Structures are given as structure tokens and as C-alpha cells.
């Protein structure tokens, strides 16, 4: 009955609702349709199995359904970053499987003081400041962080090393003969930038700071940053054969600009990035990127939180997932001598 209710609220078929809620395939529905379905599911407190639904309806046993607060530490909205959007969706699927509901979603640190912080547990997405963690820790000890690199915090964490991901991307470009590699992304305490720099140093390649463009890793900032780099290349003021973008959102915009400016370039420019979002499979050319296992990270974060709330462990646990390269079509062998 709940699936039919969600279908009515979202204006879709029950089979579409089932595919979306079970994460059958990213292509099973448009992003707008998925958003409507998840919003409807949250509004009625949908849980996937009959036993959990009965427990939820029973007034004498409300505690059986645990509530979770999701804290987006680095973005102001889900629309701001495709990777966090997809990671959030993976979390929703895993929480639903465990009969857990999202009580609230908080964005960035500015909103925290204005919101109640009452939940059975917290999952933090993205690099977290000590001030933010202290605020959350004052409300609960049941905290799991999902971020790029291990943090010096006394909480459970699920990580996929951003520095290693950057080194994997850079080494791929180096294997294709590239030595003049531009960087677009965050440069402040950012593990991916550290990986970029360290790979150059280890290969005895001098840093050229004119090829580095600090951004907040959004499409909006990627455009002026890369257009400036491209203008300098066309005018002969800068020389690079490849671009390492800190995330796919930036790389997608870079590929779009390259397509627009193709006639001005004497040679193809290689582009590589990190995340492997769904859109990376729909670019022209298809984007070569480093896969971050967001589904597995979400699964492990939810299970860690469940074990923590059940007092299954007391000491902080750190689980690290490896990344891997997904070779598509956006990287070419360097022809510059």
C-alpha cells in the first residue's frame, strides 16, 4: 500500500517507485522524478518491510524506527554538488533497508545553530571542522563521518583517500606522456591538491603555479578558471596538454568548453577528474575519472552507525575503501615534444 501511496503522490507508477527506492539503476528515472519519489517516501515515513511498518504504526513501540540526521558539511544544497547528491541518495537507500528514517538534513555550518539536533545518530558528509564536530558531539555520541581522508577526530569514519585518488589520476596522465598538467580545484587543505603536487615532485617535474586555478569546485567557478587557462594557451602565454580537475562537476564544464573552442586548438587536451558521477558517462567525450565507491561507503556508514547505537563497539572505527580509475575517452597520449 505504501508504494501505491508514494506512486500517487509522485505521479508515477508503483514499479518506478520500487526501482528508485531499491536503487535498481541510476537511469530508471529522471533526477526530478527520483526527487519527487524520495520526498514522498520521507513524508510518509516509508520503511521497506512489513514488520517495520507495523512497528512504526504501533504507538507503544515508536523507538523501533531510528532517526538519523544527515549533515552536509561542505555544500549549501544537494544541487550544489552532484557527487554529494548521489552519495545522499545511496544513504537513503541504505537507511531505508535498515528501517531508519532521515529526521532532518542540515547544510553547511551556518545553519547548525538554528536547528534542533535531536536524532539517534548523525552521518556527516564531507570534510568537517572541529567547531562543527563539537556542536554535533554535544548532541550525540553516535556519529559517522564520510570523507576523503582520515580526520583526527574521535568518531567512526568511512574514507576513500583523496590524495591517493589524485595520485592515481596524475600517474595515468604521466603514463600517457603528459608533463605540463594544469589543476582546477580547491587548494586549501585539500588532499587532492596535495596528491597533484606530490606526484609532480616525485617525478621531478617543477611546479608551474600559472597552471593552477583555485576554485570552489563548482561548474560556475570552473568556467572562468578554465577559459582563462585556455586563452593563455591559445595566445602562447601558457603551455599544458592535460587538465586534472578535482571533481567531475568541474571536468564536465571543462569538456563543454573544450568542445566549444575545438577549432582554436592545435591538439586535443586530456581531461581527468575524481568521483565518477552518473553524468561522467554522458559527456562528449566520455570522461575518464577516478571511481569513488559511494554505494559501498554509504552501506558501511549506516552499518557502523547501527552498531554504534546498539553499543556494539565503543572505540572509533576507521574503514578505508580503495579507489580505481575508470578509463573512458577524455585522455589522449601526449603528442607535444
Amino acid at each position: 500500500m505504501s508504494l501505491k501511496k508514494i506512486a500517487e503522490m509522485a505521479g508515477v507508477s508503483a514499479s518506478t517507485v520500487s526501482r528508485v527506492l531499491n536503487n535498481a539503476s541510476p537511469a530508471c528515472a529522471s533526477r526530478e522524478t527520483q526527487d519527487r519519489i524520495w520526498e514522498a517516501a520521507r513524508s510518509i515515513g516509508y520503511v521497506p518491510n512489513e514488520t517495520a511498518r507495523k512497528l512504526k504504526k504501533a504507538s507503544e513501540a515508536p523507538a523501533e524506527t531510528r532517526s538519523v540526521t544527515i549533515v552536509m558539511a561542505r555544500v549549501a544544497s544537494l544541487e550544489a554538488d552532484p557527487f554529494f547528491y548521489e552519495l545522499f541518495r545511496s544513504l537513503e537507500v541504505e537507511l531505508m533497508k535498515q528501517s531508519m528514517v532521515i529526521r532532518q538534513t542540515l547544510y553547511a555550518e551556518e545553519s547548525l545553530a538554528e536547528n534542533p539536533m535531536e536524532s539517534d545518530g548523525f552521518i556527516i558528509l564531507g570534510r568537517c571542522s572541529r567547531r562543527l564536530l563539537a556542536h554535533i558531539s554535544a548532541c550525540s555520541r553516535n556519529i559517522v563521518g564520510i570523507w576523503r581522508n582520515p580526520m583526527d577526530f574521535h568518531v567512526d569514519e568511512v574514507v576513500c583517500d583523496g590524495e591517493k585518488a589524485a595520485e592515481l589520476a596524475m600517474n595515468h596522465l604521466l603514463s600517457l606522456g603528459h608533463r605540463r598538467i594544469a589543476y582546477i580545484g580547491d587548494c586549501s587543505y585539500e588532499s587532492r591538491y596535495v596528491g597533484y603536487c606530490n606526484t609532480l615532485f616525485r617525478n621531478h617535474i617543477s611546479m608551474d603555479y600559472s597552471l593552477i586555478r583555485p576554485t570552489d569546485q563548482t561548474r560556475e567557478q570552473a568556467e572562468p578558471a578554465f577559459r582563462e587557462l585556455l586563452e593563455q594557451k591559445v595566445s602562447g602565454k601558457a603551455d599544458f596538454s592535460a587538465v586534472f580537475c578535482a571533481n567531475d562537476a568541474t571536468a564536465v564544464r571543462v569538456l563543454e568548453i573544450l568542445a566549444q573552442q575545438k577549432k582554436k586548438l592545435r591538439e586535443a587536451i586530456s581531461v581527468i577528474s575524481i568521483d565518477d558521477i552518473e553524468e561522467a558517462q554522458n559527456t562528449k567525450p566520455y570522461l575518464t575519472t577516478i571511481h569513488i565507491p559511494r554505494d559501498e561507503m554509504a552501506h558501511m556508514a549506516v552499518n557502523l552507525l547501527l552498531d554504534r547505537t546498539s553499543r556494539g563497539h565503543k572505540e572509533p572505527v576507521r574503514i578505508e575503501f580503495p579507489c580505481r580509475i575508470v578509463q573512458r575517452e577524455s585522455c589522449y597520449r601526449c603528442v607535444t615534444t
Side-chain angles (χ1 to χ4, degrees), residues 27-229:
C28 66
S30 68
R31 177 166 171 171
E32 291 74 19
T33 299
Q34 292 182 54
D35 287 344
R36 292 201 309 273
I37 290 171
W38 280 110
E39 183 178 356
R42 285 195 299 270
S43 69
I44 67 172
Y46 175 75
V47 286
N49 59 73
E50 189 62 34
T51 300
R53 284 197 291 271
K54 289 178 180 177
L55 286 172
K56 182 174 178 59
K57 291 178 181 178
S59 58
E60 68 272 17
E64 292 293 338
T65 301
R66 294 185 176 93
S67 65
V68 179
T69 291
I70 307 295
V71 180
M72 311 295 291
R74 298 197 65 180
V75 297
S77 70
L78 281 177
E79 290 70 28
D81 190 300
F83 175 77
F84 282 115
Y85 173 89
E86 293 174 17
L87 178 57
F88 183 89
R89 286 287 175 255
S90 297
L91 275 172
E92 284 193 306
V93 171
E94 291 299 326
L95 290 167
M96 187 183 68
K97 288 178 181 177
Q98 299 294 343
S99 302
M100 303 172 78
V101 297
I102 298 178
R103 184 180 187 277
Q104 58 186 341
T105 303
L106 304 179
Y107 299 93
E109 298 187 27
E110 291 76 18
S111 64
L112 292 177
E114 304 168 3
N115 289 276
M117 301 285 282
E118 298 177 1
S119 287
D120 294 311
F122 292 79
I123 298 178
I124 307 172
L125 305 188
R127 190 174 65 209
C128 173
S129 70
R130 292 186 181 277
R131 184 180 74 86
L132 170 59
L133 186 63
H135 186 62
I136 298 173
S137 298
C139 305
S140 175
R141 293 183 179 180
N142 304 324
I143 302 170
V144 180
I146 305 178
W147 35 58
R148 301 282 185 184
N149 286 83
M151 307 285 282
D152 188 22
F153 297 151
H154 199 71
V155 298
D156 294 334
E157 54 185 7
V158 179
V159 303
C160 186
D161 196 319
E163 185 174 339
K164 292 178 182 177
E167 291 171 354
L168 186 58
M170 288 291 290
N171 283 328
H172 181 64
L173 292 176
L174 291 172
S175 73
L176 295 174
H178 297 282
R179 293 296 181 271
R180 303 283 297 171
I181 303 171
Y183 172 87
I184 301 177
D186 189 359
C187 298
S188 59
Y189 306 104
E190 174 53 58
S191 58
R192 285 163 282 188
Y193 179 60
V194 172
Y196 166 81
C197 296
N198 286 346
T199 304
L200 292 177
F201 293 151
R202 279 197 295 270
N203 287 274
H204 309 290
I205 300 173
S206 299
M207 288 284 296
D208 185 345
Y209 292 98
S210 69
L211 301 182
I212 296 171
R213 291 295 183 276
T215 72
D216 64 359
Q217 298 177 178
T218 61
R219 291 171 60 95
E220 291 72 23
Q221 283 203 10
E223 177 159 355
F226 184 61
R227 285 193 183 279
E228 182 185 14
L229 266 174

Side-chain angles (χ1 to χ4, degrees), residues 282-296:
N282 299 313
T283 57
K284 293 183 179 180
Y286 299 140
L287 178 62
T288 295
T289 183
I290 306 302
H291 177 75
I292 305 298
R294 57 183 176 273
D295 291 343
E296 289 77 9

